[in-house]
Amino acid sequence: MQPPRLSASMSHDVWRKRAMVRSSTGTQIQLLSEDSETVPTFGVTNSKMNAPQMRKFMQEEVGLWSPDVFRLDIISAGNSLVCAAYNIFKTRQFSCLFKISPPTFINFILAIQNRYRSTNPYHNHIHAADVLLTTDTLLKAKPLETVFSKLEMLAALVAAAVHDVDHPGRSNQFLIETNNQLALLYNDNSVLENHHLAVAFQTLAVRITL
Ligand SMILES: [Zn+2]
């Protein structure tokens, strides 16, 4: 079964019927109701997730320059992007600062994780988790402490999470030379960069009602 694809025109009723998304490992994940008062510790729950190892990873490896993101993906049962993003979201208190409810944030990141192609051996959700964790570490560097506002930090972190979403595994030049639809759509200009951002904004534009 293909995972549900988000589109701005998708009705709320459709979402009610498709309140599950499939993770990169094929396991199904339940989206959260936006008025949920409790959310899972790591953003998602999964019977294959190793909770003790996850706690250890979040305490010991988040903030390092080279966290083992492949291990994170294994112990989170294929949810490295959601778990890394939700940990950063909580630690940086974005919910209070920007009045973003945790279920809304988690559903957005779940949808983004789902749009990364597991068939892409490099530009997949694990790469996104890696870039996100590295961006978080970079933003904690002393010389940058007073450079960015909290809003700019949120923007940089969301950008890191979505920066390669739905990457087809081909370069801009390949897409242009082969008259790919995306190259035609963006008139050969920054084809993939435009596409990643468009998918991110389409995802933001969908209000998920369960
Ligand atoms: Zn990248």
Side-chain angles (χ1 to χ4, degrees), residues 51 70 82 98-99 129 133 163 165 172 191 201 206:
F70 294 106
V82 174
F98 300 108
K99 311 230 177 317
L133 287 166
H163 83 279
V165 67
N172 279 338
V191 177
F201 278 115
V206 175

Side-chain angles (χ1 to χ4, degrees), residues 21 32 35 54 70 76 82 118-119 138 140 153 163 173:
V21 293
L32 296 169
D35 54 11
M54 287 288 293
F70 294 106
S76 66
V82 174
S118 56
T119 50
L138 182 64
K140 287 174 183 162
M153 289 189 183
H163 83 279
Q173 202 55 40

Side-chain angles (χ1 to χ4, degrees), residues 61-65 84 87-89 91-92 94 129-141 144 153 156-157 160:
E61 295 214 33
V62 173
L64 299 182
W65 281 113
N87 181 270
I88 292 167
F89 177 83
T91 306
R92 291 182 173 272
F94 284 145
D130 190 20
V131 173
L132 173 63
L133 287 166
T134 306
T135 303
D136 179 58
T137 300
L138 182 64
L139 291 173
K140 287 174 183 162
L144 296 181
M153 289 189 183
L157 291 161

Side-chain angles (χ1 to χ4, degrees), residues 35-205:
D35 54 11
S36 297
E37 287 183 5
T38 55
V39 296
T41 306
F42 304 111
V44 286
T45 45
N46 183 301
S47 57
K48 292 179 182 159
M49 188 178 280
N50 187 329
Q53 287 291 314
M54 287 288 293
R55 261 186 287 280
K56 194 166 163 12
F57 184 95
M58 296 305 176
Q59 285 166 3
E60 296 177 5
E61 295 214 33
V62 173
L64 299 182
W65 281 113
S66 299
D68 187 345
V69 74
F70 294 106
R71 194 167 70 80
L72 174 61
D73 203 58
I74 292 167
I75 62 179
S76 66
N79 293 291
S80 51
L81 180 56
V82 174
C83 293
Y86 186 55
N87 181 270
I88 292 167
F89 177 83
K90 280 195 299 186
T91 306
R92 291 182 173 272
Q93 302 181 313
F94 284 145
S95 181
C96 295
L97 284 169
F98 300 108
K99 311 230 177 317
I100 305 167
S101 80
T104 299
F105 179 79
I106 291 166
N107 284 341
F108 168 65
I109 291 294
L110 261 174
I112 290 293
Q113 178 177 268
N114 195 46
R115 286 299 301 268
Y116 275 92
R117 301 187 190 190
S118 56
T119 50
N120 187 326
Y122 182 77
H123 293 104
N124 51 43
H125 75 282
I126 304 174
H127 168 64
D130 190 20
V131 173
L132 173 63
L133 287 166
T134 306
T135 303
D136 179 58
T137 300
L138 182 64
L139 291 173
K140 287 174 183 162
K142 269 258 178 265
L144 296 181
E145 255 176 13
T146 55
V147 172
F148 299 112
S149 68
K150 301 282 187 199
L151 181 59
E152 287 168 335
M153 289 189 183
L154 173 65
L157 291 161
V158 171
V162 307
H163 83 279
D164 274 330
V165 67
D166 200 37
H167 198 300
R170 305 288 186 192
S171 67
N172 279 338
Q173 202 55 40
F174 180 92
L175 298 176
I176 292 166
E177 300 287 346
T178 56
N179 293 327
N180 184 277
Q181 271 198 340
L182 289 175
L184 297 173
L185 178 65
Y186 295 115
N187 196 25
D188 295 350
N189 291 313
S190 304
V191 177
L192 285 167
E193 291 73 17
N194 275 306
H195 179 60
H196 304 319
L197 203 51
V199 171
F201 278 115
Q202 283 167 4
T203 307
L204 273 175

